[in-house]
Amino acid sequence: MVNFEGKPAYLQIADELRQQILDGRLASGAKIPSESELMAAHDVSRTVAKMAIGVLRTEGLIYSHPGKGSFVRVGEPLRRRTGNRYRRQAQPPFASDASSAGKRADWEFETVRESASPVVAERLKITPGDQVMRTSYRYFADGKPIQVSTSYEPLSITGGTDIELPEEGPVVGVIARMDHIGRRATHVDENVTARTARDHEAEQLGIPENVQVFAILRTHFEAETPLETCDIVVPSDRYELVYRIPVEESD
Amino acid sequence: MVNFEGKPAYLQIADELRQQILDGRLASGAKIPSESELMAAHDVSRTVAKMAIGVLRTEGLIYSHPGKGSFVRVGEPLRRRTGNRYRRQAQPPFASDASSAGKRADWEFETVRESASPVVAERLKITPGDQVMRTSYRYFADGKPIQVSTSYEPLSITGGTDIELPEEGPVVGVIARMDHIGRRATHVDENVTARTARDHEAEQLGIPENVQVFAILRTHFEAETPLETCDIVVPSDRYELVYRIPVEESD
DNA sequence: TAGTGGTCTAGACCACAAT
DNA sequence: TTGTGGTCTAGACCACTAC
């Protein structure tokens, strides 16, 4: 390959492919040229072709499947919108956002009773070893997994009530359920970080390893008392987080 | 290298180094073994040593400097906390958060008058070509750049007032400045996405290319009227975004 | 001058997919 | 059987850094 601009060959090839992906010439799901084809087309070694593909993969634009090839990863509604509309409505907190975006939403869950780990205990302001109800969720949009989360509720709050099991009570949604037992959620804290997906998360989300995700720690409060805390993990290239914060009137 | 567990050698080496970084044996800023040393220690080719280092680099744990080596990137307060405390106080909106974290905070800026691009016009609900005041900021914590942002204010709102130039008026901070001219900010929208840093952003932030960043679009509103909109870019492995959302009382 | 990481070549063997 | 990407070897030249 003729190396102009002083830019390494693998970056030039990556730039070219990226452009084709972003402007639609390589459509979503399309197979990108194989390593062999890139070698021939640009007159470079396989290493260089592989490096170019590696750049796009770490950018989350493509994924590679051994024996098949590499394919464009961007979906049409590339970024799904989640949000902060915490209202006193009986609605599943996140799944409804997905469904309102025109996607069929469903989810699976598993609820178990267990002792609080030190980390969870600190977030719920309880003592490590106290009983909590842990519910693990996996959300699907049009049948594809797009979110995993794990919710923890102290049994000192929900134990013995008919909303003890989150998904089997008369109402759904943390706020509505807590209302039902006389606990009024006042605010929700969300703590957003970005990192690469853990192996098990990548597996559950059906994404390649090392893809970037948002890790959101969400806690519902009644004044200073945590009512529930939840770990939410979503692929960051599929999501846009939307927050609306009121300006305090106090001076 | 003896390949047990069926795990590729480069991932085993990466795992080993990652463990040493996370548990502190390789401290922040420390030099990790060179490629040559990894080759000798594990009896692998340079390619494999390089791949192991590449894994850690894409995870943001290390950076490499040609001619010197690779170094641990995690700082002690690895994640700086920014937030959503939008109050009617005279304080720089983001820099104060950094300084409260025990870091010396300063910033540079440049203000220019220009015509609104279509994108900016849409966000400010004005007509493309309308005059806006654009201010580009770069924030430093302990002398190191940690945030770049670009703010746009419609001159139809601030033009001719003494807060027209954001950094040269009698008060600072969007909310306080708007108060000063009788505009009451009611809420702030923040729109969070994650992506890799653009070349110029990486340069301004002094980070390697392809590092992940948070891209935050922030807009101050007075009811339905945008008062200001701002593009904020921060390295996502240095930041933790904290949001507190009140639960609406209406049923 | 010696060591470092960045780039690149030219091969190799493998498991897996498609046919 | 052929093509694919995943892994890996054994080199090379370069620019930059440290001494």
Side-chain angles (χ1 to χ4, degrees):
Chain A
M1 159 174 263
V2 184
N3 195 329
F4 60 100
E5 294 180 5
K7 203 167 192 179
Y10 75 95
L11 287 181
Q12 291 183 43
I13 298 173
D15 286 348
E16 183 184 315
L17 290 173
R18 188 189 303 104
Q19 199 52 48
Q20 293 181 18
I21 292 171
L22 294 181
D23 69 16
R25 273 174 293 167
L26 282 171
S28 178
K31 182 178 180 303
I32 72 169
S34 71
E35 296 177 356
S36 302
E37 288 167 341
L38 290 176
M39 290 167 69
H42 298 89
D43 190 25
V44 294
S45 69
R46 190 174 164 203
T47 301
V48 172
K50 192 180 290 292
M51 287 169 75
I53 289 176
V55 168
L56 301 181
R57 189 168 39 237
T58 66
E59 288 177 0
L61 286 175
I62 65 173
Y63 64 92
S64 300
H65 196 73
K68 296 176 72 173
S70 296
F71 302 86
V72 179
R73 224 172 81 76
V74 288
E76 313 69 38
L78 176 63
R79 297 179 173 281
R80 219 171 308 270
R81 186 166 305 242
T82 183
N84 63 321
R85 306 198 186 133
Y86 289 112
R87 306 210 184 97
R88 299 196 177 280
Q89 297 177 358
Q91 61 176 7
F94 271 77
S96 67
D97 294 282
S99 68
S100 70
K103 299 289 175 183
R104 178 174 52 84
D106 42 11
W107 62 94
E108 60 186 28
F109 62 90
E110 182 191 10
T111 299
V112 299
R113 191 187 180 112
E114 66 179 21
S115 298
S117 70
V119 170
V120 167
E122 184 179 348
R123 284 165 58 182
L124 289 174
K125 294 184 185 170
I126 59 179
T127 305
D130 285 0
Q131 291 295 112
V132 296
M133 198 67 88
R134 170 168 66 81
T135 307
S136 299
Y137 292 90
R138 188 151 68 134
Y139 293 96
F140 301 83
D142 286 347
K144 293 181 181 176
I146 56 164
Q147 176 180 139
V148 294
S149 64
T150 306
S151 170
Y152 301 88
E153 294 177 346
L155 277 168
S156 58
I157 290 178
T158 61
T161 72
D162 56 358
I163 58 115
E164 186 180 78
L165 294 170
E167 294 291 325
E168 291 174 25
V171 290
V172 292
V174 174
I175 295 172
R177 289 174 49 246
M178 291 298 166
D179 272 353
H180 189 258
I181 60 170
R183 309 297 295 250
R184 303 284 288 184
T186 54
H187 63 276
V188 179
D189 278 0
E190 292 204 6
N191 198 312
V192 181
T193 57
R195 56 171 172 77
T196 56
R198 318 257 187 252
D199 289 356
H200 70 275
E201 293 164 351
E203 188 183 348
Q204 286 193 307
L205 289 170
I207 59 178
E209 293 184 9
N210 289 329
V211 161
Q212 286 281 324
V213 295
F214 284 125
I216 306 169
L217 305 192
R218 185 195 66 190
T219 304
H220 285 76
F221 285 89
E222 179 184 45
E224 300 298 316
T225 305
L227 299 173
E228 179 253 15
T229 193
C230 185
D231 290 328
I232 301 165
V233 174
V234 298
S236 56
D237 63 348
R238 289 281 183 276
Y239 267 86
E240 185 175 22
L241 308 179
V242 179
Y243 294 98
R244 171 161 296 189
I245 307 107
V247 172
E248 295 179 6
E249 278 305 316
S250 58
D251 220 317
Chain B
M1 158 175 262
V2 185
N3 194 328
F4 60 101
E5 294 179 6
K7 204 168 190 178
Y10 75 96
L11 288 181
Q12 291 183 42
I13 298 173
D15 287 347
E16 183 185 314
L17 290 172
R18 188 188 302 104
Q19 198 53 46
Q20 292 181 19
I21 293 172
L22 294 181
D23 70 17
R25 274 174 293 168
L26 282 172
S28 177
K31 182 178 179 304
I32 72 168
S34 71
E35 296 177 356
S36 302
E37 288 166 342
L38 290 177
M39 290 168 69
H42 297 89
D43 190 26
V44 294
S45 69
R46 189 175 165 203
T47 301
V48 172
K50 192 179 290 292
M51 287 169 77
I53 289 176
V55 169
L56 300 181
R57 189 167 38 236
T58 67
E59 288 177 0
L61 287 175
I62 64 173
Y63 65 91
S64 300
H65 195 75
K68 297 177 70 174
S70 295
F71 302 85
V72 179
R73 224 170 84 76
V74 287
E76 313 70 37
L78 174 62
R79 300 178 171 280
R80 217 170 311 270
R81 188 168 300 245
T82 184
N84 62 321
R85 306 199 186 131
Y86 288 112
R87 306 211 183 97
R88 299 196 177 279
Q89 297 176 357
Q91 61 176 6
F94 272 77
S96 67
D97 295 282
S99 68
S100 69
K103 299 288 176 183
R104 178 173 52 83
D106 42 12
W107 62 96
E108 60 186 29
F109 62 90
E110 183 191 10
T111 300
V112 299
R113 192 187 179 111
E114 65 178 22
S115 298
S117 68
V119 170
V120 168
E122 184 179 348
R123 285 165 55 183
L124 290 174
K125 295 185 185 170
I126 60 178
T127 304
D130 284 1
Q131 292 292 294
V132 296
M133 198 66 87
R134 170 168 67 81
T135 308
S136 300
Y137 291 91
R138 187 152 69 134
Y139 292 97
F140 301 84
D142 284 347
K144 293 181 180 175
I146 56 163
Q147 176 180 138
V148 294
S149 64
T150 306
S151 169
Y152 301 88
E153 294 177 346
L155 277 168
S156 59
I157 290 178
T158 61
T161 72
D162 55 0
I163 57 115
E164 184 180 80
L165 294 169
E167 296 290 325
E168 293 174 24
V171 290
V172 293
V174 175
I175 295 173
R177 288 174 49 247
M178 291 297 167
D179 272 353
H180 189 258
I181 61 169
R183 307 298 295 251
R184 303 284 288 184
T186 54
H187 65 274
V188 179
D189 279 359
E190 293 204 7
N191 198 313
V192 180
T193 56
R195 57 171 172 78
T196 56
R198 319 257 186 249
D199 288 356
H200 70 277
E201 292 164 351
E203 188 182 350
Q204 286 194 305
L205 290 170
I207 58 179
E209 292 185 9
N210 289 328
V211 162
Q212 287 279 326
V213 295
F214 285 125
I216 306 169
L217 306 191
R218 184 195 67 190
T219 305
H220 284 76
F221 285 89
E222 179 183 46
E224 300 298 316
T225 305
L227 299 173
E228 180 253 16
T229 193
C230 186
D231 290 328
I232 301 166
V233 175
V234 298
S236 57
D237 63 348
R238 288 281 183 274
Y239 267 86
E240 184 177 22
L241 309 179
V242 178
Y243 294 98
R244 171 161 295 190
I245 309 108
V247 172
E248 295 180 7
E249 277 305 315
S250 58
D251 223 315

